[in-house]
Amino acid sequence: MVEMEMVSVIRNKKYLLKDINWSIKKREHWCLFGLNGSGKTTLLNVINGYVYPTKGKVTVLGNEFGKTSIPDLRKEIGIVSSSIKHEFHINHSVLSIVLSGKFASIGLYEAVEQKDVDFARSLMEMLNCLHLEDEEYGVLSQGEKQRVLIARALMSQPKILVLDEPCNGLDIIAREELLLFIEKVANQENGPTLIYVSHHVEEVLPCFTHSLLLEKGEVYTQGLTKEVFNEVTLSNFIGREVSVQLENERTWIALK
């Protein structure tokens, strides 16, 4: 799904990413974990083709960068991020926003068929927002907006779905509800490969089989989540001693 070999991004003689090696295989779901300023956004932008590496080789869905059409490739990648949440007009209906995902447009400007509407409604039903289809986007809660945007991202049936800190700004109830829906997406047969970006360990669901810890633009460690998220590794990574507790197959940490 994604293959990076010795990928570096250099700006103004400074490494934003350095010697990244990362391989994501089909049906693996990954968490990209790092503190603020670790380079997570830059790494995502490389995958989406918005940032071209200074050095190294990037292959996404079998397409090697430099030998493929990036705009066409982006149609295979769904993304939900805090930045896109603010792009939609407050008066747009929820249904039109979900349908716009088919065309990767901000707003719906092309004709849709009944099968598109039916598919959009099936996604909204899965994400428990079908009852909102006629509501204006501006009146939705933060949690409702995130569910709508995930439905929109799935509208094009992407092979990769990137969730960039989707729980930011949500209270604990809205967060846990959203995580339940994300787990449902992860468990879909023939669903997309998920890349979940966060700096909160407790958001990493059991469905995220693998994790990569990013520190100052470099891979600190990567591998199976259950092996990466342990007390020693997380204490060294964060730079503070932490205690680790497992509950419902999720990791919870606290500073000692």
Side-chain angles (χ1 to χ4, degrees):
M1 305 301 284
V2 177
E3 191 78 37
M4 293 190 181
E5 301 174 34
M6 297 299 288
V7 169
S8 295
V9 174
I10 304 171
R11 296 289 185 271
N12 299 321
K13 300 182 180 179
K14 178 184 176 183
Y15 279 94
L16 302 183
L17 297 175
K18 185 175 182 181
D19 298 338
I20 302 292
N21 290 299
W22 191 14
S23 178
I24 301 177
K25 295 179 173 57
K26 193 171 184 179
R27 297 310 302 162
E28 291 178 352
H29 298 309
W30 280 75
C31 172
L32 174 57
F33 181 77
L35 303 181
N36 292 333
S38 60
K40 301 189 298 295
T41 299
T42 302
L43 188 52
L44 289 184
N45 284 337
V46 170
I47 292 174
N48 283 286
Y50 293 114
V51 171
Y52 202 81
T54 309
K55 296 187 291 186
K57 178 181 175 182
V58 179
T59 305
V60 177
L61 299 173
N63 300 280
E64 184 180 340
F65 283 18
K67 301 179 181 178
T68 190
S69 167
I70 297 297
D72 288 341
L73 179 60
R74 286 193 194 123
K75 295 175 183 177
E76 306 279 357
I77 303 172
I79 186 164
V80 176
S81 67
S82 57
S83 59
I84 200 170
K85 182 167 62 177
H86 303 293
E87 293 291 328
F88 297 97
H89 196 279
I90 59 172
N91 293 328
H92 286 171
S93 74
V94 165
L95 180 58
S96 70
I97 287 175
V98 174
L99 286 167
S100 73
K102 179 182 178 180
F103 311 102
S105 60
I106 303 298
L108 187 61
Y109 307 105
E110 301 183 51
V112 295
E113 301 176 31
Q114 185 59 45
K115 65 179 182 180
D116 298 323
V117 176
D118 293 341
F119 182 54
R121 285 177 171 152
S122 71
L123 292 172
M124 293 163 68
E125 185 173 21
M126 180 183 69
L127 290 158
N128 195 27
C129 55
L130 180 57
H131 62 289
L132 301 172
E133 66 171 303
D134 295 322
E135 295 285 352
E136 293 184 352
Y137 182 71
V139 305
L140 303 185
S141 69
Q142 294 302 313
E144 289 169 340
K145 286 178 179 177
Q146 291 296 67
R147 298 205 302 273
V148 168
L149 293 181
I150 292 172
R152 176 185 180 273
L154 292 170
M155 189 67 201
S156 63
Q157 299 182 309
K159 294 183 173 66
I160 296 173
L161 176 61
V162 177
L163 299 166
D164 187 5
E165 301 191 354
C167 294
N168 268 8
L170 302 186
D171 61 39
I172 186 170
I173 296 174
R175 181 191 72 180
E176 292 303 308
E177 288 178 346
L178 183 64
L179 290 174
L180 282 175
F181 296 123
I182 289 171
E183 192 159 38
K184 191 183 293 187
V185 172
N187 292 329
Q188 274 187 311
E189 190 175 354
N190 300 319
T193 289
L194 301 188
I195 301 175
Y196 186 93
V197 184
S198 182
H199 55 267
H200 294 291
V201 176
E202 66 273 13
E203 293 177 9
V204 183
L205 300 166
C207 61
F208 295 111
T209 53
H210 295 70
S211 291
L212 183 148
L213 272 56
L214 193 66
E215 180 185 48
K216 297 178 181 177
E218 298 185 58
V219 174
Y220 182 81
T221 190
Q222 61 178 303
L224 292 173
T225 300
K226 61 184 179 182
E227 296 175 0
V228 168
F229 283 177
N230 61 72
E231 195 166 288
V232 172
T233 300
L234 289 174
S235 293
N236 290 333
F237 176 69
I238 294 171
R240 298 277 297 273
E241 281 195 66
V242 298
S243 60
V244 170
Q245 181 178 342
L246 289 176
E247 187 171 334
N248 296 327
E249 298 183 82
R250 285 165 62 184
T251 302
W252 303 76
I253 66 171
L255 294 176
K256 286 187 176 179

